[in-house]
Amino acid sequence: MKYKHMETSVIHEGYDSTQMLGSLTPPIFQTSTYTFDSAEQGEARFAAEEEGYIYSRLGNPTVRILEEKIAALEGGERGLAFSSGMAAVSAILFALTKANDHIICSSGLYGCTYGLLSMMKEKYNIKTDYSNMSSEQELENQITKETVLIYVETPINPTMQVIDLELVVKVAKKHQLLVVVDNTFSSPYLQRPLEIGCDFVIHSATKYISGHGDVIAGLAVGKKDIMDTIALTTQKDIGGVLSPFDAWLLIRGLKTLPLRMDRHSSNAEKIVQQLKLHKAVKNVYYPGDPDFSNVAITNKQMKLAGGVLAFEINGGKKEAQKVLNQLHFIKIAVSLGDAESLMEHPASMTHAVIPVEEREKMGITESLLRLSVGIEAWEDIWEDIQQALDNI
Ligand SMILES: *Cc1c(COP(=O)(O)O)cnc(C)c1O
């Protein structure tokens, strides 16, 4: 980062208004292609002998501003922007693996990433083993000759378990494995895996980085050489690139990321305190709760615990659905990280594809609800949840 504090970086990093006719806000370069002054210049651009734009799937000035920003915020060398979080996940995973390789992955994973890994096994015999990563020994035992990378989501959706990134990096370095972290739930303001020694960070920018629920986008950050290769292979040739307008929305969203994350986190803390006192609530899962089993890991690697929490109510699916149906202004919706508070029922929505036994093992019961705490007044959010809980 060029600036000392992230609050300044999110606004100023990656953009120089003097290069853009003094435009305070970055322009949207809404163009598919770029003209060359001469045939020779076109040749030189294609040969990478001259810097410059060629075609927007290979690079666009608005998108580039966003890519420079995210690289700086994560403390990495090069960022790339994608048309969705899944486009970022798939570009990275396809770039880092070949047929017959082996991946170790955190148990509990975004559903579509789970689907992608299953597809990679079917098509290319790339096997994945799932791990709690709770000790060095546990990880060591899962490493095989074919293992190439460790893929981590932390906190894990929806039970909010956290994984000790320092521990994962220690084992990975010993065995020369790459570590990829899906940092969607934290954003770079709360957690910076590259600074701990991880190799790649991925975001569904759809969530906190956008912050306004108006765009689907993905980001990835890593070392320059490998990201350069990815830009020219699995990004360019699979083609899930971000549009200039969506990049512009993310540049705008990023400006308030620290403000929003502070508010999401403090609201979540307040809601957790209240939920723990309500008699209809059996369990609350929040990485920042002082009673949370792994709160020491949270405190070690996260600035604040973020805005997502889950809770189990006394009862089953019927009661959980009743809570959702009785909400007044809190929306019934999947996704997270928006200004609006959103509640969902993982067992019948985001995690419905996972077989029941697996789901129960992950702690995703029929009575579990997930809440993405918005940035409304926490008192209003609690009042809405309380009246819904009171009436089951
Ligand atoms: C939403 C999400 C994704 C997928 O991102 P899209 O932008 O929806 O493609 C990946 N990982 C996590 C943790 C997510 O929450």
Side-chain angles (χ1 to χ4, degrees):
M1 279 195 305
K2 215 155 60 195
Y3 307 92
K4 268 200 215 106
H5 298 98
M6 187 168 287
E7 290 81 350
T8 312
S9 288
V10 289
I11 297 169
H12 293 288
E13 200 87 46
Y15 181 60
D16 179 358
S17 61
T18 65
Q19 300 299 305
M20 300 287 179
L21 305 172
S23 174
L24 175 69
T25 301
I28 304 172
F29 283 84
Q30 193 71 38
T31 186
S32 57
T33 197
Y34 303 82
T35 59
F36 306 131
D37 295 340
S38 64
E40 289 74 17
Q41 186 182 52
E43 184 181 12
R45 294 247 174 114
F46 269 90
E49 286 158 4
E50 181 190 297
E51 286 233 4
Y53 293 97
I54 296 173
Y55 182 71
S56 277
R57 181 156 40 75
L58 318 182
N60 172 283
T62 311
V63 176
R64 188 63 53 82
I65 293 165
L66 172 68
E67 292 176 334
E68 288 189 8
K69 256 187 214 292
I70 192 65
L73 298 177
E74 286 288 0
E77 291 176 4
R78 179 160 186 201
L80 291 175
F82 297 84
S83 55
S84 70
M86 286 318 301
V89 171
S90 53
I92 296 288
L93 284 177
F94 280 120
L96 302 182
T97 56
K98 58 179 181 358
N100 306 316
D101 280 347
H102 176 243
I103 298 172
I104 299 173
C105 183
S106 54
S107 48
L109 191 60
Y110 184 71
C112 300
T113 308
Y114 182 88
L116 177 70
L117 289 169
S118 308
M119 185 166 76
M120 287 166 74
K121 171 153 191 282
E122 236 171 73
K123 287 183 180 287
Y124 313 114
N125 194 38
I126 297 170
K127 294 187 218 68
T128 300
D129 276 315
Y130 292 88
S131 172
N132 290 324
M133 306 187 185
S134 53
S135 70
E136 285 176 43
Q137 199 53 53
E138 186 189 358
L139 260 179
E140 296 267 1
N141 290 345
Q142 290 179 292
I143 295 171
T144 70
K145 280 202 309 294
E146 285 74 36
T147 310
V148 289
L149 70 92
I150 302 178
Y151 189 96
V152 184
E153 258 181 45
T154 179
I156 293 176
N157 179 22
T159 52
M160 305 310 289
Q161 302 304 306
V162 287
I163 284 173
D164 187 341
L165 292 176
E166 198 182 343
L167 180 151
V168 173
V169 166
K170 195 170 159 201
V171 175
K173 289 262 186 303
K174 197 163 128 197
H175 296 269
Q176 290 165 323
L177 305 176
L178 296 168
V179 180
V180 182
V181 178
D182 182 332
N183 205 25
T184 299
F185 273 54
S186 303
S187 88
Y189 181 62
L190 301 186
Q191 177 171 278
R192 281 186 297 287
L194 301 182
E195 290 178 357
I196 300 170
C198 302
D199 301 283
F200 297 88
V201 162
I202 298 175
H203 285 282
S204 168
T206 309
K207 318 292 167 54
Y208 285 111
I209 290 182
S210 155
H212 294 74
D214 50 14
V215 59
I216 298 282
L219 295 167
V221 185
K223 291 237 159 58
K224 185 171 183 310
D225 51 353
I226 178 77
M227 296 310 281
D228 285 351
T229 304
I230 290 170
L232 295 175
T233 54
T234 54
Q235 185 183 46
K236 171 174 81 67
D237 298 338
I238 296 175
V241 294
L242 191 65
S243 80
F245 179 64
D246 288 347
W248 184 86
L249 285 172
L250 295 179
I251 292 167
R252 182 163 78 159
L254 265 175
K255 291 183 187 180
T256 55
L257 179 74
L259 279 175
R260 290 185 284 107
M261 294 315 290
D262 282 342
R263 178 62 166 259
H264 283 298
S265 301
S266 67
N267 273 0
E269 279 171 28
K270 294 283 195 339
I271 300 299
V272 167
Q273 284 166 13
Q274 298 297 329
L275 281 170
K276 284 167 78 176
L277 298 173
H278 199 284
K279 61 181 188 319
V281 175
K282 198 159 73 181
N283 273 314
V284 182
Y285 301 108
Y286 182 62
D289 177 2
D291 298 327
F292 187 68
S293 53
N294 284 323
V295 70
I297 299 174
T298 308
N299 292 338
K300 182 169 75 165
Q301 68 193 26
M302 296 180 77
K303 182 184 166 83
L304 294 163
V308 184
L309 61 92
F311 60 99
E312 261 184 317
I313 52 160
N314 293 313
K317 182 174 171 185
K318 202 170 113 254
E319 287 74 20
Q321 289 185 325
K322 204 163 168 199
V323 172
L324 290 178
N325 289 333
Q326 288 178 158
L327 293 169
H328 290 154
F329 77 86
I330 296 176
K331 308 298 181 203
I332 308 171
V334 299
S335 200
L336 55 110
D338 297 335
E340 297 83 356
S341 291
L342 308 176
M343 203 186 287
E344 66 120 354
H345 182 241
S348 66
M349 296 178 186
T350 46
H351 294 72
V353 290
I354 303 171
V356 186
E357 318 83 67
E358 295 257 332
R359 217 161 59 204
E360 298 272 333
K361 256 192 273 167
M362 296 161 129
I364 307 169
T365 62
E366 296 287 343
S367 57
L368 187 78
L369 290 163
R370 185 186 80 184
L371 174 67
S372 169
V373 183
I375 56 176
E376 304 100 334
W378 76 265
E379 294 89 340
D380 292 337
I381 300 170
W382 173 244
E383 193 178 284
D384 199 7
I385 297 171
Q386 188 180 31
Q387 63 78 28
L389 288 172
D390 284 347
N391 293 324
I392 58 169

